């Protein structure tokens, strides 16, 4: 089941990934802080470590992935318009929950987006 799915913007590909507030519900507890680290595995098995943080002050939490995100974005050669998905699943053998991450590239035909595919 998807926890967060987003079409990437320029800021997402160059600085940090802003995620919906609802994504916070699927993450490990923040335990009174404003940041939490979590690991997400690609379908290939490669594991990435990300930090999700929220504003320390203010009315809106505005969660973002910062640490680990740019390394992932550069390694995957993410571009504006690509789609990223973080999801929570269970290991079939151990039944332990884990986070997964999936990237899909935009497919264009005559300049119009007609779908997405795994790179």
């Amino acid at each position: 089941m998807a926890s967060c799915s987003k079409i990437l913007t320029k800021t997402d590909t160059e600085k940090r990934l802003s995620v919906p507030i609802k994504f916070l519900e699927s993450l490990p507890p923040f335990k009174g802080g404003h940041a939490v680290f979590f690991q997400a595995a690609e379908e290939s098995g490669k594991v990435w470590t990300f930090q999700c943080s929220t504003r320390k002050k203010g009315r809106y939490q505005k969660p973002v992935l910062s640490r680990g995100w740019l390394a992932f974005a550069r390694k995957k050669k993410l571009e504006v318009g690509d789609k990223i998905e973080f999801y929570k699943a269970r290991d079939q053998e151990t039944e332990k929950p884990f986070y997964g991450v999936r990237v899909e590239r935009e497919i264009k035909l005559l300049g119009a987006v007609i779908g997405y595919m795994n790179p």
Side-chain angles (χ1 to χ4, degrees):
M1 176 180 222
S3 298
C4 174
S5 179
K6 183 177 182 188
I7 306 299
L8 301 178
T9 66
K10 184 175 181 180
T11 299
D12 295 329
T13 62
E14 295 178 359
K15 296 181 181 181
R16 65 196 158 276
L17 176 68
S18 62
V19 294
I21 287 178
K22 192 162 181 77
F23 183 57
L24 297 177
E25 296 171 8
S26 68
L27 292 177
F30 279 65
K31 296 183 181 176
H34 72 94
V36 66
F37 284 92
F38 71 99
Q39 292 185 320
E42 292 181 61
E43 291 172 347
S44 69
K46 173 138 176 70
V47 176
W48 295 85
T49 301
F50 299 101
Q51 178 188 42
C52 182
S53 58
T54 59
R55 289 181 176 167
K56 291 181 185 179
K57 297 180 181 177
R59 188 172 169 191
Y60 302 103
Q61 291 179 307
K62 196 174 182 183
V64 296
L65 295 189
S66 49
R67 290 192 188 160
W69 170 251
L70 281 181
F72 178 81
R74 289 181 181 132
K75 181 73 175 175
K76 295 296 179 185
K77 298 179 180 155
L78 297 180
E79 298 176 1
V80 172
D82 288 347
K83 185 176 182 180
I84 185 85
E85 180 180 21
F86 287 93
Y87 58 93
K88 207 169 181 180
R90 288 198 177 273
D91 184 286
Q92 292 179 356
E93 292 179 18
T94 66
E95 290 293 315
K96 285 187 175 184
F98 70 92
Y99 297 95
V101 60
R102 180 180 304 128
V103 173
E104 294 182 337
R105 297 258 185 249
E106 204 175 48
I107 301 170
K108 289 185 177 182
L109 181 64
L110 301 173
V113 177
I114 60 167
Y116 292 87
M117 66 175 233
N118 290 332

